[in-house]
Amino acid sequence: MPLHIAIGFFGMFTMTVLMVVIFRRFAFVLGLVDAPDHRKVHDGLVPLCGGLAIFGAFALYDTAIDYNYGIQWYLAVALIMLVGTGFADDRWRLPVAPRLAVQICAAAILVFNIPDLLSSASYLLDTGQIPAIGWLLPALAIVFVVGLINATNMIDGADGLAGGIAASSLFWLALIATHTGRLDLAEFAMVMLAGVLGFLTFNMRHKWRNRASVFMGDAGSTALGATIAYLVIDLASGPNPVPLPILLWTIILPITDMASLMVRRRAAGRSPMTADRWHFHHLLIDRGLSHTATSGLMILFCTVCGFIGWLGVVLGISPITLTAALVVPVVLHTLLVAAMNEESRQFKVPSPIATASGETQSKSLDPAVPQ
């Protein structure tokens, strides 16, 4: 790691830790706390300032430390929109419509300003054969960004989980960016990784912490989802573009879990946006796994998948092969969810379907459900 990146990494980590300590003092005054309920089983009121700390520290890093690195204006605008809306949602619980509208606008700002997106479309879609498809590319990219924003938000349901999965994605995307000569994106990903690790110091359970003292909040999970989506799209469409299917390996679990949730909710005759305990991590926790084991298992899964994507870039594995291989983690996730639901029926374990059947809470695009 170059010296200036190493200094920036540890500087960002330190600033995030300090930001968490500072913001945590004001969270209760501002009412920026998460209270336990029928879905959230954590103890007491927990500050929802982790995301504000990460992106507050990044803003300070970007303005106060000059190593010939600067965030693009369109990414800054998109992140400010998402962090601001997430903050308001964490504090006042906004309706779905305005939050979704902000997400779409932020995604559009990113997509229409990423250089070379359309000219490198062959790595995303075969637009050479059907020119009209090229005009659909921005719309598909916007859907992708909004989808990953909400997939990251939805998977934020156990101590250390969303942060750990985001850290895995950022790490592998940084390595891929380095290998393909995109050092600007590699540095950005490493700086964001440092911020996430600083947050995880307070959020992940370990020997010296038996429960999270800070949650990420919607401000953090939505902005992190957009950040990772931006990195994926830019790597897939910039200089030395990486085929999208290879990059999907770094984010396959959040996407699969969100798709699985929506399909199962619709099959049960419920809105796909209804909040519940049907997430993969909830299924594991409800069957006796500790929060540490649940988060560790899922982060390990993401790490292995990310390694496969990185290996595909380094070894030049055919995108067709890696695209077909994506079926493996998707099928594995599906089989595990089906097996746990079958176990609930056979042994009368309180199932997520049963416990959520009377769900009336409408906040969502399925909000973060920290434990």
Side-chain angles (χ1 to χ4, degrees):
M1 180 186 296
L3 179 60
H4 73 276
I5 295 181
I7 294 174
F9 182 91
F10 290 108
M12 177 67 177
F13 177 88
T14 302
M15 283 189 286
T16 302
V17 170
L18 291 176
M19 285 285 188
V20 170
V21 173
I22 293 171
F23 288 165
R24 192 168 55 177
R25 293 178 178 273
F26 296 98
F28 290 94
V29 177
L30 296 173
L32 197 64
V33 294
D34 197 31
D37 58 24
H38 61 290
R39 291 186 302 115
K40 307 175 185 181
V41 295
H42 56 271
D43 297 326
L45 300 176
V46 180
L48 287 167
C49 61
L52 294 177
I54 294 172
F55 289 95
F58 177 70
L60 181 61
Y61 168 85
D62 189 54
T63 56
I65 301 178
D66 182 13
Y67 290 120
N68 298 318
Y69 171 79
I71 185 174
Q72 299 294 336
W73 70 266
Y74 50 87
L75 178 59
V77 170
L79 293 180
I80 289 171
M81 292 172 63
L82 292 169
V83 171
T85 304
F87 169 82
D89 186 38
D90 288 331
R91 177 60 182 85
W92 294 290
R93 294 196 159 206
L94 302 180
V96 173
R99 288 185 293 125
L100 183 59
V102 171
Q103 291 173 10
I104 293 173
C105 290
I109 290 172
L110 284 178
V111 167
F112 285 107
N113 286 283
I114 293 178
D116 303 320
L117 176 61
L118 293 177
S119 62
S120 298
S122 59
Y123 277 80
L124 298 168
L125 291 170
D126 185 9
T127 57
Q129 299 300 320
I130 309 177
I133 293 181
W135 294 102
L136 294 176
L137 187 60
L140 294 174
I142 290 172
V143 170
F144 172 77
V145 174
V146 173
L148 193 55
I149 286 172
N150 288 287
T152 306
N153 178 250
M154 288 181 178
I155 211 163
D156 186 17
D159 292 346
L161 181 57
I165 289 176
S168 171
S169 297
L170 290 167
F171 174 77
W172 292 115
L173 290 171
L175 289 188
I176 292 172
T178 301
H179 182 79
T180 56
R182 297 297 307 277
L183 299 184
D184 56 332
L185 293 184
E187 180 176 352
F188 173 58
M190 289 299 293
V191 168
M192 291 307 305
L193 172 60
V196 173
L197 293 178
F199 158 73
L200 286 174
T201 303
F202 301 88
N203 181 253
M204 181 169 279
R205 300 186 184 190
H206 47 73
K207 181 180 179 180
W208 299 279
R209 185 178 300 282
N210 59 12
R211 67 182 182 89
S213 63
V214 168
F215 290 157
M216 185 181 295
D218 285 2
S221 60
T222 54
L224 269 180
T227 298
I228 295 170
Y230 161 77
L231 286 167
V232 169
I233 293 177
D234 207 345
L235 281 170
S237 58
N240 300 318
V242 180
L244 182 61
I246 294 179
L247 296 171
L248 290 180
W249 279 92
T250 65
I251 54 174
I252 189 62
L253 181 57
I255 291 176
T256 301
D257 195 47
M258 180 181 69
S260 171
L261 275 169
M262 292 186 171
V263 169
R264 284 180 282 136
R265 287 169 180 169
R266 289 302 302 163
R270 301 171 59 239
S271 167
M273 301 304 179
T274 305
D276 53 37
R277 290 184 62 86
W278 293 25
H279 301 258
F280 187 57
H281 53 269
H282 287 139
L283 297 177
L284 294 174
I285 291 171
D286 290 344
R287 275 146 191 81
L289 263 69
S290 67
H291 286 247
T292 302
T294 297
S295 295
L297 182 64
M298 294 180 67
I299 293 169
L300 176 62
F301 182 87
C302 291
T303 302
V304 171
C305 289
F307 171 74
I308 293 173
W310 172 79
L311 202 62
V313 174
V314 173
L315 299 181
I317 299 174
S318 167
I320 296 176
T321 300
L322 287 175
T323 301
L326 282 170
V327 173
V328 175
V330 173
V331 170
L332 180 59
H333 179 280
T334 302
L335 292 176
L336 288 173
V337 168
M340 285 187 281
N341 283 334
E342 181 63 25
E343 176 188 341
S344 297
R345 287 191 290 269
Q346 288 185 357
F347 298 100
K348 301 187 184 300
V349 175
S351 71
I353 295 178
T355 57
S357 60
E359 178 67 67
T360 58
Q361 186 167 347
S362 61
K363 178 187 183 288
S364 218
L365 291 178
D366 201 89
V369 188
Q371 301 298 327

